[in-house]
Amino acid sequence: QDVEGKVAFITGGSSGIGRGIGLAFARAGMTVVISGRRQEHIDETRAEFADAGLEVDSVLLDVTDRDAVERAAEETERRHGRVDVLVNNAGIGLTGPVMEATPADWDWLIDVNIKGVGNGIAAFVPRIRAHGQGGHIVNTASMAALMPIVAGLYSMTKAAVVALSEALAIELAADGIGVSAYCPGPVHSNIAGAVANRPAQYGESGYTPPPAEFLERAKTQPYMSYVEAGERVLNGVRRNDLFILTHPEFRAGVQERFDTTLAAFPDEPIDEARAAAIPFLTG
Ligand code: NAI
């Protein structure tokens, strides 16, 4: 679809992948509004846009605050007249063994990675629907959603984002609103360090934040740049892809996971009467 002149709101657009998505969108002629939790990251992002000769609007926002997300949607419409594209990208990368997570770890992950996405959808989709000219929703999940990797509850939250995206794609098709589940592999960002920024309300974690050497070493790894990760999203939106994938390195793992799923079906004929009675069988 044509993206020029469209208004996009990107949560977690002040850092890493979200910043890359914002840069790609702005270069494509879109009006970009980014939200982030930390003012210094927003300022840094605004400077990067300015250096590239691009414009960006910004708002401080915690995606777990439903009323604040609603106000941000209202303010975006007030300032830019409309909103066409929503990118639910804000997320936290709290990973580790499931059995070591505290109840507060469960809460933080679910609040940001799942309910934060829900808050974005609740606030923005009715506005996109209302203007009747279609639009697009991108939900940032992860490769951790599509194959088992050692990420524990993080994978659970990202699998939820994929399932939600698939459901919404069916639901919003009639309104001309496309939906993409974005599932990148490793991308350079602040994700590993951000867990040290845990809001006080979430209390004790069962995980130790990664040491400084780990964060330093990560910077030198040949991960994908956030700029490239953002360009992949722009291409996916233009093509209205349901899945936006970035790293063919994971293909074999995903294949194995789906092969295992298919192999688990009982090897017996379909019961036609039972099949006809299944109301949500869309395939
Ligand atoms: P990042 O830490 O650099 O950026 C995360 C952004 O989310 C920041 O702008 C931060 O302010 C925002 N955020 C976090 N909690 C928030 C809250 N409660 N309210 C509002 N904003 C909040 O990390 P990165 O890597 O750019 O992450 C973006 C998304 O990409 C996340 O959903 C992450 O799970 C996902 N992802 C990242 C991968 C990577 O390798 N970097 C791989 C796969 C998925």
Side-chain angles (χ1 to χ4, degrees), residues 94 97-108 153 198 202-207:
L94 190 62
V98 172
M99 298 314 296
E100 286 173 23
T102 60
D105 289 324
W106 280 80
D107 288 346
W108 192 27
L153 295 174
R198 184 185 178 99
Y202 290 107
E204 280 295 293
S205 179
Y207 306 125

mmCIF file of all heavy atoms in Angstrom, residues 94 97-108 153 198 202-207:
data_model
loop_
_atom_site.group_PDB
_atom_site.id
_atom_site.type_symbol
_atom_site.label_atom_id
_atom_site.label_comp_id
_atom_site.label_asym_id
_atom_site.label_seq_id
_atom_site.Cartn_x
_atom_site.Cartn_y
_atom_site.Cartn_z
ATOM 1 N N LEU A 94 12.977 -9.222 29.218
ATOM 2 C CA LEU A 94 13.304 -9.930 30.452
ATOM 3 C C LEU A 94 13.281 -11.423 30.139
ATOM 4 O O LEU A 94 12.207 -11.975 29.882
ATOM 5 C CB LEU A 94 12.238 -9.572 31.497
ATOM 6 C CG LEU A 94 12.460 -9.983 32.937
ATOM 7 C CD1 LEU A 94 13.708 -9.312 33.510
ATOM 8 C CD2 LEU A 94 11.242 -9.602 33.781
ATOM 9 N N PRO A 97 15.114 -18.636 32.791
ATOM 10 C CA PRO A 97 14.278 -19.812 33.047
ATOM 11 C C PRO A 97 12.919 -19.433 33.650
ATOM 12 O O PRO A 97 12.853 -18.586 34.550
ATOM 13 C CB PRO A 97 15.104 -20.619 34.065
ATOM 14 C CG PRO A 97 16.500 -20.114 33.912
ATOM 15 C CD PRO A 97 16.397 -18.692 33.490
ATOM 16 N N VAL A 98 11.866 -20.049 33.148
ATOM 17 C CA VAL A 98 10.506 -19.793 33.640
ATOM 18 C C VAL A 98 10.446 -19.968 35.163
ATOM 19 O O VAL A 98 9.852 -19.168 35.876
ATOM 20 C CB VAL A 98 9.504 -20.769 32.976
ATOM 21 C CG1 VAL A 98 8.119 -20.655 33.600
ATOM 22 C CG2 VAL A 98 9.439 -20.526 31.467
ATOM 23 N N MET A 99 11.093 -21.031 35.655
ATOM 24 C CA MET A 99 10.964 -21.371 37.062
ATOM 25 C C MET A 99 11.692 -20.395 37.989
ATOM 26 O O MET A 99 11.538 -20.450 39.203
ATOM 27 C CB MET A 99 11.447 -22.814 37.319
ATOM 28 C CG MET A 99 10.631 -23.870 36.576
ATOM 29 S SD MET A 99 8.838 -23.638 36.709
ATOM 30 C CE MET A 99 8.602 -23.878 38.450
ATOM 31 N N GLU A 100 12.500 -19.510 37.418
ATOM 32 C CA GLU A 100 13.179 -18.516 38.265
ATOM 33 C C GLU A 100 12.457 -17.181 38.291
ATOM 34 O O GLU A 100 12.852 -16.255 39.009
ATOM 35 C CB GLU A 100 14.627 -18.329 37.787
ATOM 36 C CG GLU A 100 15.480 -19.526 38.171
ATOM 37 C CD GLU A 100 16.880 -19.474 37.591
ATOM 38 O OE1 GLU A 100 17.363 -18.378 37.258
ATOM 39 O OE2 GLU A 100 17.488 -20.561 37.463
ATOM 40 N N ALA A 101 11.385 -17.054 37.499
ATOM 41 C CA ALA A 101 10.640 -15.784 37.449
ATOM 42 C C ALA A 101 9.831 -15.594 38.727
ATOM 43 O O ALA A 101 9.226 -16.544 39.227
ATOM 44 C CB ALA A 101 9.705 -15.791 36.250
ATOM 45 N N THR A 102 9.832 -14.380 39.250
ATOM 46 C CA THR A 102 8.971 -14.062 40.395
ATOM 47 C C THR A 102 7.592 -13.655 39.856
ATOM 48 O O THR A 102 7.459 -13.320 38.675
ATOM 49 C CB THR A 102 9.541 -12.868 41.188
ATOM 50 O OG1 THR A 102 9.606 -11.733 40.302
ATOM 51 C CG2 THR A 102 10.913 -13.163 41.759
ATOM 52 N N PRO A 103 6.564 -13.624 40.712
ATOM 53 C CA PRO A 103 5.254 -13.137 40.253
ATOM 54 C C PRO A 103 5.354 -11.737 39.645
ATOM 55 O O PRO A 103 4.662 -11.416 38.680
ATOM 56 C CB PRO A 103 4.410 -13.134 41.537
ATOM 57 C CG PRO A 103 5.026 -14.203 42.388
ATOM 58 C CD PRO A 103 6.504 -14.144 42.095
ATOM 59 N N ALA A 104 6.270 -10.914 40.174
ATOM 60 C CA ALA A 104 6.428 -9.557 39.644
ATOM 61 C C ALA A 104 7.032 -9.585 38.236
ATOM 62 O O ALA A 104 6.722 -8.725 37.404
ATOM 63 C CB ALA A 104 7.312 -8.738 40.584
ATOM 64 N N ASP A 105 7.900 -10.580 37.963
ATOM 65 C CA ASP A 105 8.438 -10.727 36.602
ATOM 66 C C ASP A 105 7.318 -11.059 35.617
ATOM 67 O O ASP A 105 7.259 -10.517 34.517
ATOM 68 C CB ASP A 105 9.514 -11.824 36.541
ATOM 69 C CG ASP A 105 10.808 -11.419 37.247
ATOM 70 O OD1 ASP A 105 11.170 -10.229 37.176
ATOM 71 O OD2 ASP A 105 11.440 -12.299 37.872
ATOM 72 N N TRP A 106 6.419 -11.983 36.034
ATOM 73 C CA TRP A 106 5.252 -12.316 35.191
ATOM 74 C C TRP A 106 4.459 -11.036 34.905
ATOM 75 O O TRP A 106 4.092 -10.752 33.768
ATOM 76 C CB TRP A 106 4.317 -13.304 35.922
ATOM 77 C CG TRP A 106 4.727 -14.737 35.885
ATOM 78 C CD1 TRP A 106 5.663 -15.334 36.667
ATOM 79 C CD2 TRP A 106 4.209 -15.755 35.034
ATOM 80 N NE1 TRP A 106 5.749 -16.679 36.358
ATOM 81 C CE2 TRP A 106 4.857 -16.969 35.373
ATOM 82 C CE3 TRP A 106 3.232 -15.792 34.032
ATOM 83 C CZ2 TRP A 106 4.586 -18.178 34.729
ATOM 84 C CZ3 TRP A 106 2.956 -17.000 33.391
ATOM 85 C CH2 TRP A 106 3.629 -18.177 33.735
ATOM 86 N N ASP A 107 4.198 -10.281 35.969
ATOM 87 C CA ASP A 107 3.363 -9.079 35.811
ATOM 88 C C ASP A 107 3.992 -8.074 34.855
ATOM 89 O O ASP A 107 3.319 -7.528 33.982
ATOM 90 C CB ASP A 107 3.145 -8.397 37.172
ATOM 91 C CG ASP A 107 2.204 -9.190 38.060
ATOM 92 O OD1 ASP A 107 1.522 -10.104 37.539
ATOM 93 O OD2 ASP A 107 2.156 -8.912 39.279
ATOM 94 N N TRP A 108 5.276 -7.807 35.065
ATOM 95 C CA TRP A 108 5.929 -6.773 34.240
ATOM 96 C C TRP A 108 5.904 -7.176 32.758
ATOM 97 O O TRP A 108 5.543 -6.381 31.879
ATOM 98 C CB TRP A 108 7.367 -6.521 34.729
ATOM 99 C CG TRP A 108 8.002 -5.294 34.144
ATOM 100 C CD1 TRP A 108 7.359 -4.184 33.689
ATOM 101 C CD2 TRP A 108 9.410 -5.067 33.927
ATOM 102 N NE1 TRP A 108 8.277 -3.268 33.214
ATOM 103 C CE2 TRP A 108 9.537 -3.782 33.346
ATOM 104 C CE3 TRP A 108 10.557 -5.812 34.177
ATOM 105 C CZ2 TRP A 108 10.783 -3.229 33.011
ATOM 106 C CZ3 TRP A 108 11.802 -5.258 33.845
ATOM 107 C CH2 TRP A 108 11.900 -3.982 33.270
ATOM 108 N N LEU A 153 9.512 -16.810 29.705
ATOM 109 C CA LEU A 153 8.235 -16.099 29.645
ATOM 110 C C LEU A 153 8.193 -15.059 28.529
ATOM 111 O O LEU A 153 7.131 -14.699 28.044
ATOM 112 C CB LEU A 153 7.964 -15.393 30.980
ATOM 113 C CG LEU A 153 7.762 -16.322 32.165
ATOM 114 C CD1 LEU A 153 7.646 -15.496 33.448
ATOM 115 C CD2 LEU A 153 6.520 -17.163 31.971
ATOM 116 N N ARG A 198 13.835 -1.159 35.695
ATOM 117 C CA ARG A 198 12.569 -1.757 36.105
ATOM 118 C C ARG A 198 11.813 -0.793 37.013
ATOM 119 O O ARG A 198 12.352 -0.321 38.006
ATOM 120 C CB ARG A 198 12.916 -3.030 36.867
ATOM 121 C CG ARG A 198 11.782 -3.899 37.320
ATOM 122 C CD ARG A 198 12.393 -5.022 38.156
ATOM 123 N NE ARG A 198 11.417 -5.925 38.708
ATOM 124 C CZ ARG A 198 11.114 -7.117 38.176
ATOM 125 N NH1 ARG A 198 11.697 -7.510 37.080
ATOM 126 N NH2 ARG A 198 10.233 -7.904 38.757
ATOM 127 N N TYR A 202 7.190 -3.028 40.309
ATOM 128 C CA TYR A 202 7.278 -4.449 39.998
ATOM 129 C C TYR A 202 8.172 -5.244 40.966
ATOM 130 O O TYR A 202 8.318 -6.454 40.809
ATOM 131 C CB TYR A 202 7.698 -4.657 38.538
ATOM 132 C CG TYR A 202 6.579 -4.252 37.601
ATOM 133 C CD1 TYR A 202 6.657 -3.090 36.854
ATOM 134 C CD2 TYR A 202 5.417 -5.019 37.517
ATOM 135 C CE1 TYR A 202 5.614 -2.705 36.025
ATOM 136 C CE2 TYR A 202 4.370 -4.641 36.701
ATOM 137 C CZ TYR A 202 4.475 -3.477 35.955
ATOM 138 O OH TYR A 202 3.442 -3.099 35.146
ATOM 139 N N GLY A 203 8.774 -4.557 41.945
ATOM 140 C CA GLY A 203 9.482 -5.275 43.009
ATOM 141 C C GLY A 203 10.584 -6.212 42.538
ATOM 142 O O GLY A 203 11.196 -6.000 41.494
ATOM 143 N N GLU A 204 10.790 -7.263 43.336
ATOM 144 C CA GLU A 204 11.917 -8.183 43.137
ATOM 145 C C GLU A 204 11.859 -8.987 41.841
ATOM 146 O O GLU A 204 10.802 -9.529 41.495
ATOM 147 C CB GLU A 204 11.920 -9.211 44.279
ATOM 148 C CG GLU A 204 12.529 -8.721 45.573
ATOM 149 C CD GLU A 204 14.013 -8.436 45.437
ATOM 150 O OE1 GLU A 204 14.781 -9.402 45.229
ATOM 151 O OE2 GLU A 204 14.395 -7.250 45.525
ATOM 152 N N SER A 205 13.008 -9.117 41.183
ATOM 153 C CA SER A 205 13.098 -9.989 40.010
ATOM 154 C C SER A 205 13.842 -11.260 40.375
ATOM 155 O O SER A 205 14.700 -11.250 41.261
ATOM 156 C CB SER A 205 13.858 -9.280 38.891
ATOM 157 O OG SER A 205 13.968 -10.142 37.773
ATOM 158 N N GLY A 206 13.512 -12.339 39.699
ATOM 159 C CA GLY A 206 14.250 -13.586 39.894
ATOM 160 C C GLY A 206 15.508 -13.625 39.037
ATOM 161 O O GLY A 206 16.292 -14.562 39.110
ATOM 162 N N TYR A 207 15.676 -12.634 38.187
ATOM 163 C CA TYR A 207 16.806 -12.612 37.256
ATOM 164 C C TYR A 207 17.808 -11.526 37.606
ATOM 165 O O TYR A 207 17.432 -10.460 38.085
ATOM 166 C CB TYR A 207 16.307 -12.378 35.819
ATOM 167 C CG TYR A 207 15.250 -13.349 35.369
ATOM 168 C CD1 TYR A 207 14.022 -12.901 34.890
ATOM 169 C CD2 TYR A 207 15.469 -14.719 35.432
ATOM 170 C CE1 TYR A 207 13.043 -13.797 34.477
ATOM 171 C CE2 TYR A 207 14.497 -15.619 35.025
ATOM 172 C CZ TYR A 207 13.280 -15.157 34.540
ATOM 173 O OH TYR A 207 12.328 -16.032 34.142
#
